[in-house]
Amino acid sequence: FLPLHEVAHGLRKELKGVAIRTYDLRRCRGGDRMHRGARAGVTVVYRSEALGYASAAFFVDTLGFEASVDSAIGEWKSKLLKKCKLSGKIMDCGSGTGPGLKYLCEEQAIREIVCIEPNPHLVGKLEQRVASMSVRNKVVSVFNGTLQEYMMKHPQEAGSFDGVVCMHSLACMGSSASIGQIIQIALSQGGKLVFLETTSVKGRGEWLQQLLRIPFIVLMGGWDLKRDVERGLRSLKWKTLITEHFEEAKMPLSRILRSHVIGCGVVAEAKGGLHRNSDQIVRRARAAYSRRAQKK
């Protein structure tokens, strides 16, 4: 048998425009972590980026899923932002259609907001929301692309953000540790990462969440219901990283989406472009951005 990475490489050549990712869905006694000697089980997921964006926009915007989520946990978002006391220049990562902007605009100390949204089907609604909002003493801009693409296109922005906000977006952005590294590159000294994300449910609904994991990855823009965001972020170096877990029964699909983790991480020093993995990250972002530019 060919190694898995060689199979994936060959399929990429045959299936242009289809992102091929490997997801380790193995389970064993003692939890999600694999113990020595256990048999490995790896599932290869074929996820079309175009299909993922289109289907995610249908669920999030057309069916009103995003609005339902915001009404269910909007109070948690507001309390979290007030507690973290954000100020200055803020990046809103994975803005969607912009329901979280109203909470950011309530913070008087914030002067600039950069909204990053990779889904082209949602950016139009996001721009409309920004144009219709009465924003005082704040500059709000929108970028259609991923966090990696933004940092590649604007390398001078490294170390310029006082805060990065991720509300239900970290689980859609790949490895939490890798994304956390890029966020640390964007943050200034003492800058804050503020996040709210779903986590694995325990007990009632656990089997259903496991069953729907792959459909969510394929149809909701890469949203992995069981990605351990907190563990990935804790693998990085922070001055402080405080987290709290809660359950919200008002959430839509509460059986699989009720469990959440919120947190605030403060970077010890500005890393800028000098992070030990930043060169590799920027190279990957440059390649992805070039491919998207060629398609356009």
Side-chain angles (χ1 to χ4, degrees), residues 212-233:
L212 294 177
R213 186 180 184 185
I214 295 300
F216 261 73
I217 290 172
V218 174
L219 299 175
M220 294 293 282
W223 187 1
D224 189 347
L225 295 175
K226 297 185 75 66
R227 176 170 286 131
D228 195 341
V229 170
E230 182 180 1
R231 182 183 175 189
L233 293 176

Side-chain angles (χ1 to χ4, degrees), residues 143-146 148-150 152-154 282-296:
F143 177 80
N144 180 206
T146 64
Q148 297 94 320
E149 290 171 351
Y150 179 85
M152 181 267 154
K153 191 174 182 181
H154 305 281
V282 170
R283 280 199 301 272
R284 290 177 180 174
R286 184 179 289 113
Y289 190 80
S290 298
R291 287 195 296 271
R292 177 171 289 190
Q294 288 174 0
K295 289 180 182 179
K296 289 182 180 180

Side-chain angles (χ1 to χ4, degrees), residues 49-108:
E49 187 178 75
L51 171 63
Y53 283 153
S55 59
F58 175 75
F59 286 109
V60 167
D61 185 30
T62 308
L63 295 184
F65 180 77
E66 190 175 51
S68 299
V69 169
D70 186 64
S71 63
I73 60 173
E75 188 176 346
W76 282 96
K77 292 180 181 179
S78 182
K79 288 181 179 179
L80 177 61
L81 291 173
K82 291 183 183 302
K83 190 173 182 178
C84 293
K85 298 180 180 179
L86 293 176
S87 62
K89 185 178 180 181
I90 303 299
M91 176 190 293
D92 185 20
C93 222
S95 302
T97 60
L101 277 176
K102 60 185 177 183
Y103 306 110
L104 290 172
C105 290
E106 289 174 358
E107 302 301 310
Q108 299 297 324

Side-chain angles (χ1 to χ4, degrees), residues 164-289:
V164 174
V165 177
C166 298
M167 301 290 185
H168 285 143
S169 58
L170 283 174
C172 304
M173 297 166 66
S175 166
S176 303
S178 298
I179 296 301
Q181 290 172 357
I182 304 175
I183 290 174
Q184 289 185 337
I185 292 171
L187 287 170
S188 61
Q189 183 173 352
K192 300 174 182 177
L193 165 63
V194 179
F195 62 93
L196 181 152
E197 194 53 73
T198 54
T199 62
S200 297
V201 297
K202 302 298 181 183
R204 176 176 166 268
E206 184 176 3
W207 66 273
L208 183 59
Q209 189 183 59
Q210 182 69 25
L211 180 67
L212 294 177
R213 186 180 184 185
I214 295 300
F216 261 73
I217 290 172
V218 174
L219 299 175
M220 294 293 282
W223 187 1
D224 189 347
L225 295 175
K226 297 185 75 66
R227 176 170 286 131
D228 195 341
V229 170
E230 182 180 1
R231 182 183 175 189
L233 293 176
R234 288 196 179 279
S235 67
L236 304 175
K237 184 178 180 181
W238 302 88
K239 183 178 180 180
T240 59
L241 178 59
I242 301 173
T243 60
E244 178 184 347
H245 292 257
F246 73 92
E247 291 195 354
E248 180 52 71
K250 297 179 183 178
M251 277 286 291
L253 302 176
S254 61
R255 180 171 289 191
I256 62 172
L257 299 178
R258 66 179 184 273
S259 297
H260 284 76
V261 58
I262 57 176
C264 179
V266 180
V267 294
E269 57 184 358
K271 297 185 181 298
L274 301 178
H275 195 279
R276 57 189 174 89
N277 288 332
S278 62
D279 290 340
Q280 181 183 7
I281 292 168
V282 170
R283 280 199 301 272
R284 290 177 180 174
R286 184 179 289 113
Y289 190 80

